Amino acid sequence: VAYFGGLATMMPVMTIIFFLFSLANMAFPFTSGFIGEFLLLLGISINNFYLGALNAVNMLLTTVYSVLLFGRVFLGELKVWLEKIVFNYIWTKHNNPNDTRRLDLYPYEIIISIVLFTGIFILGIYPQALFSYLDNNLPIVQMLYTQPYFVK
């Protein structure tokens, strides 16, 4: 992380996508991470308050780490050694130092990221879609794990 910095100037699309996924990692509202962390914290706190408090501290540390990681990798000035590597890459690939079109994500990577984040966002807005599926199949899973094995 210390070797990177300022990648937002060279990779703006990657910066936006990384930021959106970082928000989901930080359990930001309207993401599936928020629903998962909330249910986890609620379930643990009901059974053991101390483990719930430890989980809350873990959530805070995850948020701090994600913000620091994003800031150090994407914001600030571009590192000198990284700028030289980027310049050499552009020069050898395109013979034009001002052409930065291949430094950012390819179109298929953007499409995959949009599909993944759409799923994260939909599950954050409407988690009942997953819960109804799990509620229907949970008795089957419980039966498989609680019943002894039968030999025919």
Side-chain angles (χ1 to χ4, degrees):
V1 173
Y3 295 109
F4 292 101
L7 286 180
T9 58
M10 294 288 185
M11 304 176 76
V13 176
M14 174 66 182
T15 303
I16 292 169
I17 289 174
F18 189 88
F19 179 71
L20 291 175
F21 283 107
S22 292
L23 287 178
N25 183 42
M26 292 185 284
F28 194 75
F30 304 115
T31 63
S32 61
F34 178 75
I35 301 297
E37 289 283 352
F38 177 74
L39 292 175
L40 185 69
L41 187 60
L42 183 67
I44 289 175
S45 297
I46 288 172
N47 292 324
N48 190 338
F49 175 77
Y50 298 110
L51 283 178
L54 186 65
N55 188 24
V57 170
N58 184 28
M59 288 170 55
L60 290 174
L61 290 176
T62 301
T63 302
V64 168
Y65 175 75
S66 294
V67 169
L68 288 176
L69 175 72
F70 180 79
R72 289 183 182 161
V73 171
F74 290 100
L75 303 178
E77 291 185 29
L78 190 64
K79 302 290 183 181
V80 175
W81 72 272
L82 189 60
E83 191 172 5
K84 290 178 184 177
I85 291 173
V86 167
F87 180 79
N88 288 336
Y89 174 78
I90 293 170
W91 188 258
T92 57
K93 294 291 184 186
H94 306 290
N95 294 329
N96 184 1
N98 297 321
D99 186 9
T100 59
R101 65 177 168 228
R102 283 294 135 229
L103 288 178
D104 219 347
L105 298 178
Y106 288 101
Y108 68 88
E109 293 170 330
I110 296 171
I111 291 170
I112 290 170
S113 298
I114 289 171
V115 168
L116 289 174
F117 192 75
T118 302
I120 289 171
F121 187 71
I122 288 172
L123 287 176
I125 296 291
Y126 185 65
Q128 190 61 33
L130 182 65
F131 294 155
S132 62
Y133 174 76
L134 292 176
D135 285 342
N136 291 338
N137 294 324
L138 192 60
I140 297 169
V141 173
Q142 286 177 337
M143 182 189 70
L144 290 174
Y145 281 102
T146 57
Q147 298 295 325
Y149 294 107
F150 294 104
V151 178
K152 292 184 180 182

